[in-house]
Amino acid sequence: MTDKSPADNFPAGYEPGKAWTWDKGNGGEFAGINRPIAGPTHEKELPVGKHPLQLYSLGTPNGVKVTIMLEELLAAGHSDAEYDAWLINIGQGDQFGSGFVGVNPNSKIPALLDHAPKDGGKPLRVFESASILMYLAEKFGAFLPTELRARTEAMNWLFWQMGSAPFLGGGFGHFYAYAPMKIKYAIDRYAMETKRQLDVLDRHLAENQFMAGKEYTVADMAIWPWYGNLAMGQAYGDAGDFLEVQGYKNLQRWTAEIFARPAVKRGRMVNRRSGELSEQLHERHDASDFDTKTADKVATA
């Protein structure tokens, strides 16, 4: 490490102590829900609806991955993929309730309980969005190729997303939109990495219709809510302009093709709490809810 004067640090004079201490007032917009320990903060059972698949989530990119997958399964004729989607309001700490922690000890959305697993046993918990996508793909035999090379390519890109998106969301998105102050060094560092990732996608999509080639797979469903949303200019305020996303023409083509899918339009509505009220379906328990229970209809009922 290069020796630097503490006066050059930000804030000026800052030096890391011998051991980190938790400053509860630090962390920006989400400081109130961040903490350095795991486990529940309160007792709260999870609701259970009428379908075997019970999703506990929020309409963030990670949550949208799973609702897109479920809606795509239903659109493809897999009627057993009917599901209940319960809203987990992370701003109010729902993810730290004892019931949710029992499904996901990491206290992150999305989390799934399958009350009818293939082995016929007790309800099976599934957490981490990529794990949920793979579980559903294998349960229903859909959206994950069986041929070795195509399957491997889909898996490559699925896990690329899991490793890359934290630099976009927790890195660039946090420091660009949510941090309590603008830090040029942090924004520049993560903007550079985000643009590199966008270029990775753009170059790949120049030669491939979808992420795994000619077939639409779980890899597309995982990547689109993060990078497609950014490509449409619908992430982190004006971040699309800042990152000049319109210049990634192949990514724009892929983004538009995915967005045109009716199941994608439905999936991104579920558990959503922002944007147009007509595009928010806070909870989803039946296919008819899209026509009768969006936030605009509930507000005028």
Side-chain angles (χ1 to χ4, degrees):
M1 293 178 62
T2 302
D3 291 333
K4 294 182 181 297
S5 169
D8 295 330
N9 292 345
F10 186 82
Y14 168 74
E15 289 188 273
K18 291 185 177 180
W20 180 80
T21 56
W22 182 22
D23 179 359
K24 294 183 180 181
N26 192 18
E29 185 169 331
F30 299 105
I33 63 170
N34 292 329
R35 59 195 182 110
I37 57 174
T41 60
H42 58 282
E43 292 294 320
K44 185 177 181 181
E45 292 186 7
L46 289 174
V48 178
K50 62 184 179 180
H51 303 297
L53 294 175
Q54 298 291 301
L55 178 67
Y56 304 95
S57 192
L58 183 66
T60 66
N62 285 334
V64 168
K65 296 175 193 175
V66 177
T67 49
I68 286 176
M69 175 64 164
L70 288 164
E71 291 298 327
E72 290 283 13
L73 286 168
L74 291 170
H78 298 279
S79 58
D80 289 347
E82 271 293 351
Y83 67 103
D84 291 274
W86 302 93
L87 181 69
I88 298 297
N89 192 328
I90 63 175
Q92 295 180 2
D94 290 350
Q95 70 276 31
F96 300 123
S98 57
F100 188 86
V101 174
V103 180
N104 185 356
N106 196 38
S107 292
K108 302 290 185 181
I109 62 92
L112 180 75
L113 268 179
D114 185 356
H115 289 258
K118 282 189 173 182
D119 64 2
K122 65 181 182 180
L124 182 62
R125 74 179 187 183
V126 195
F127 60 89
E128 289 296 326
S129 57
S131 180
I132 297 173
L133 291 178
M134 287 183 60
Y135 178 82
L136 292 172
E138 292 175 342
K139 178 182 177 74
F140 294 100
F143 301 114
L144 185 60
T146 57
E147 187 273 327
L148 174 64
R149 294 180 182 276
R151 180 186 175 89
T152 301
E153 190 70 356
M155 299 288 282
N156 288 341
W157 287 106
L158 174 62
F159 287 99
W160 176 89
Q161 184 277 314
M162 296 297 288
S164 297
F167 290 95
L168 167 56
F172 172 77
H174 175 78
F175 286 106
Y176 187 79
Y178 303 133
M181 77 286 288
K182 301 296 184 186
I183 304 173
K184 184 178 186 300
Y185 171 80
I187 292 173
D188 284 351
R189 176 178 173 83
Y190 287 111
M192 179 183 295
E193 172 59 14
T194 299
K195 286 186 70 67
R196 189 193 68 82
Q197 293 175 6
L198 292 171
D199 194 42
V200 168
L201 291 171
D202 197 62
R203 289 170 183 263
H204 178 70
L205 291 166
E207 299 177 353
N208 297 274
Q209 181 181 4
F210 298 110
M211 296 309 304
K214 296 181 179 180
E215 186 175 347
Y216 176 64
T217 71
V218 291
D220 300 284
M221 299 178 202
I223 293 170
W224 189 90
W226 282 100
Y227 296 90
N229 206 40
L230 179 62
M232 294 193 299
Q234 296 186 14
Y236 314 121
D238 62 354
D241 293 333
F242 183 73
L243 297 172
E244 299 180 303
V245 296
Q246 290 300 322
Y248 301 98
K249 300 301 183 184
N250 304 305
L251 176 63
Q252 290 292 338
R253 185 271 307 161
W254 171 85
T255 294
E257 187 170 352
I258 302 294
F259 186 53
R261 298 178 69 92
V264 171
K265 293 182 183 295
R266 290 192 298 273
R268 71 192 301 267
M269 293 171 63
V270 179
N271 298 144
R272 188 173 178 179
R273 297 279 292 175
S274 63
E276 296 291 332
L277 292 179
S278 61
E279 296 181 350
Q280 296 182 32
L281 183 61
H282 295 169
E283 291 190 351
R284 187 264 194 218
H285 303 289
D286 189 86
S288 63
D289 291 347
F290 290 102
D291 299 320
T292 61
K293 295 184 179 179
T294 52
D296 59 326
K297 296 180 176 67
V298 172
T300 58

